[in-house]
Amino acid sequence: MTTALKIHSSDHVATLLEAAAAGEPVEIGGTQVVARADIPKGHKIALRDIAAGEEVVKFGFPIGRATAPIVAGDHVHSHNLATGLSGTLDYRYDPHAEPRAPTSGGPTFLGYVREDGRVGTRNEIWILPTVGCVGRTAERIAAEAGRRHAGQVDGVHAFAHPYGCSQLGDDLSATRRMLAALAAHPNAGGVLLIGLGCESNQLSRLLEEVPESYKPRIRTVIAQNSTDEVEDGLAAVAELAAEAAKTKREPVGLDKLVLGVKCGGSDGFSGLTANPLVGRMSDVVTAAGGSAIVTEIPEIFGAEQMLMDRAESRAVFEGVVDVVNDFKNYFLSHGEPVSENPSPGNVAGGITTLEEKSLGAVQKAGHATLTDVKRYGERIERTGLTLLEAPGNDAVSSTALAAAGATVILFTTGRGTPLGFPVPTVKIASNSDLAARKPGWIDFDAGQVLTHGFEAAEEALIDRIVAIASGAETAAERNGEREIAFWKRGVTL
């Protein structure tokens, strides 16, 4: 007999844990419903009759409205369910956070303590080009320097990008802000900034945005002023590596960890296993005095009130309202509906509407009090849970998390992706099939939540995070998957 999981007592639908054939009985917590059609694994089955126009409830909240009459046992998906989202909204301030109680003691990891007290999980040399014209030059320097300094530092990595010139105003400022934030990241024991010389993103202006305490760890090369920019870059990296090698790992508590939480390629299991499990990690770290950062603003549309209700103050609440409505207006100003999501992969995996996707995605934030809101390119300043402005795109949002200060990213996925980013990116599969099929991509199988329960999975994932923060490689690191991407919003000259 096929089984399905009903998440909340008020839900109208359940998620199939295995595919169901038409006429097959499906068991949901001691009750049964007969499937009226073939329904794929991870998709929704109706638990009762639902009238056309009636709200359909999952996770205890509406995920859209029925576009046709639905009968108990029906497959509930794009053919009979549509989003209820439209434009901007007025929100209520009604705080009722339920954070996990503060903890003391607990796990420690071996990190690199920096001058300002922040702690890195890696001690690498990062090469950041100011402009796309010298992106390949940065990669050539990194490849040779990586060979020369293997074992001296944790790695030498170049992060090429196509921007830094032919940009104007806020768009150029955002690129500069992102690079300055990355240059001050605690995972970088040293940073080489390489410019071309004639670009809009002038190296001198970029340096003005780097905190003074980090400037001793930075070297610069301007290619147009150098006879051999590669040799000059290699000499600069040699200096940085020699200095960075003096810093050694030492035990620190979870209060020094900064988690970025992200989901990519979600499926019908993401909101049942991986995302709530990551939410538990957010709670563990913030309760210990550490930090968690949640982003992907378009992927909280329909669930934003859940975060607003956990705002520490009215000012934080209003910050969430501004970021959410600004992002909705960004969509609307380009003639796009705010509900232009889920992706084709999400739909194939069983997610029908943006509300459904968002209600699953927002669970990565756990139950911690929301202590701050930051705009794109800004760095976090407070411990606890921070909401960061960034789109849902995997590379853009993960880069923003790193620039904001995340030293480990927990990346949940139901579909799988090989992508990796500047900081260790822990790929967490929502289902065991994906973990078994793609062991070269996946670091942790959250499908075990369905077989072993949340408590066992939580303990196992904490252990894995501690090991990775202490130096164990992620799958993306083993595969050499490292990249950055910026949010391009302005005119290109």
Side-chain angles (χ1 to χ4, degrees):
M1 179 182 296
T2 299
T3 57
L5 180 62
K6 180 180 179 181
I7 301 166
H8 190 275
S9 59
S10 64
D11 286 355
H12 300 161
V13 295
T15 301
L16 287 173
L17 303 184
E18 303 94 21
E24 183 178 0
V26 178
E27 182 177 352
I28 309 102
T31 64
Q32 287 187 13
V33 63
V34 176
R36 287 168 45 86
D38 293 344
I39 306 176
K41 177 180 179 179
H43 285 237
K44 296 174 292 297
I45 187 170
L47 302 179
R48 69 168 180 82
D49 295 349
I50 303 169
E54 184 180 352
E55 288 185 329
V56 177
V57 175
K58 182 182 176 184
F59 299 107
F61 294 90
I63 60 169
R65 291 185 180 276
T67 57
I70 297 173
V71 176
D74 276 349
H75 180 198
V76 179
H77 201 30
S78 306
H79 60 287
N80 55 14
L81 174 63
T83 180
L85 296 177
S86 54
T88 60
L89 296 172
D90 294 323
Y91 297 97
R92 67 181 187 279
Y93 179 54
D94 182 24
H96 47 270
E98 299 178 4
R100 182 180 288 208
T103 59
S104 58
T108 61
F109 69 97
L110 297 175
Y112 296 98
V113 180
R114 303 303 184 187
E115 302 91 334
D116 60 357
R118 294 191 298 163
V119 175
T121 60
R122 297 292 184 269
N123 191 34
E124 299 172 335
I125 306 300
W126 289 1
I127 305 177
L128 302 174
T130 61
V131 65
C133 309
V134 288
R136 184 69 188 112
T137 302
E139 291 173 343
R140 288 166 58 203
I141 295 169
E144 177 58 29
R147 288 188 287 269
R148 293 185 185 185
H149 303 290
Q152 190 176 15
V153 290
D154 291 340
V156 181
H157 303 286
F159 296 104
H161 60 88
Y163 302 123
C165 206
S166 301
Q167 290 180 277
L168 299 170
D170 291 343
D171 197 42
L172 176 60
S173 296
T175 296
R176 184 182 297 123
R177 252 193 337 268
M178 289 292 292
L179 289 169
L182 289 169
H185 197 283
N187 279 20
V191 174
L192 171 62
L193 296 175
I194 181 164
L196 178 60
C198 57
E199 65 272 26
S200 301
N201 186 27
Q202 285 287 294
L203 202 154
S204 58
R205 180 68 182 85
L206 171 59
L207 280 169
E208 291 175 5
E209 299 203 18
V210 177
E212 287 296 325
S213 63
Y214 274 76
K215 288 182 179 177
R217 298 193 292 112
I218 293 176
R219 300 291 184 274
T220 63
V221 169
I222 298 177
Q224 289 174 344
N225 296 347
S226 173
T227 301
D228 189 333
E229 64 278 2
V230 173
E231 283 304 316
D232 287 349
L234 288 169
V237 171
E239 291 180 12
L240 293 168
E243 191 62 29
K246 297 175 183 178
T247 304
K248 305 298 180 184
R249 289 190 183 271
E250 56 185 277
V252 292
L254 292 182
D255 59 307
K256 297 298 184 181
L257 191 61
V258 183
L259 290 181
V261 297
K262 167 82 182 88
C263 52
S266 301
D267 69 352
F269 291 98
S270 296
L272 311 183
T273 59
N275 289 344
L277 180 60
V278 165
R280 288 174 173 242
M281 300 301 100
S282 297
D283 288 345
V284 167
V285 170
T286 56
S291 305
I293 313 170
V294 62
T295 186
E296 302 175 285
I297 302 303
E299 297 185 15
I300 65 169
F301 291 171
E304 60 265 45
Q305 189 69 55
M306 296 172 68
L307 286 176
M308 293 173 182
D309 290 347
R310 288 155 48 194
E312 180 182 69
S313 64
R314 179 173 284 277
V316 173
F317 162 77
E318 291 173 351
V320 182
V321 172
D322 288 345
V323 165
V324 169
N325 277 337
D326 284 354
F327 220 117
K328 287 184 175 181
N329 282 323
Y330 168 63
F331 275 52
L332 296 170
S333 68
H334 285 79
E336 300 293 343
V338 300
S339 59
E340 191 57 41
N341 213 327
S343 70
N346 297 153
V347 174
I351 297 175
T352 308
T353 65
L354 181 52
E355 296 99 303
E356 181 181 8
K357 184 175 183 179
S358 296
L359 287 164
V362 79
Q363 294 184 62
K364 301 190 303 296
H367 297 87
T369 299
L370 186 65
T371 57
D372 207 358
V373 179
K374 287 296 181 185
R375 291 290 183 162
Y376 179 71
E378 293 182 336
R379 297 192 301 157
I380 65 166
E381 296 174 329
R382 301 189 60 190
T383 56
L385 179 66
T386 294
L387 177 67
L388 173 67
E389 179 191 34
N393 176 272
D394 290 351
V396 174
S397 57
S398 295
T399 303
L401 287 170
T407 52
V408 173
I409 293 174
L410 304 185
F411 189 110
T412 67
T413 178
R415 312 293 293 180
T417 177
L419 282 174
F421 305 102
V423 302
T425 305
V426 186
K427 299 290 177 56
I428 302 170
S430 68
N431 62 85
S432 297
D433 288 346
L434 172 61
R437 283 190 297 105
K438 302 299 293 185
W441 291 358
I442 300 300
D443 296 288
F444 189 86
D445 175 17
Q448 63 185 279
V449 165
L450 299 176
T451 54
H452 296 87
F454 272 107
E455 298 303 323
E458 176 180 336
E459 184 177 348
L461 184 51
I462 289 172
D463 289 346
R464 188 73 184 125
I465 292 168
V466 166
I468 288 169
S470 300
E473 285 188 315
T474 64
E477 288 177 306
R478 288 194 301 272
N479 296 335
E481 294 278 356
R482 299 279 193 118
E483 67 175 73
I484 61 173
F486 296 152
W487 187 14
K488 181 74 171 67
R489 290 174 283 177
V491 172
T492 297
L493 291 176

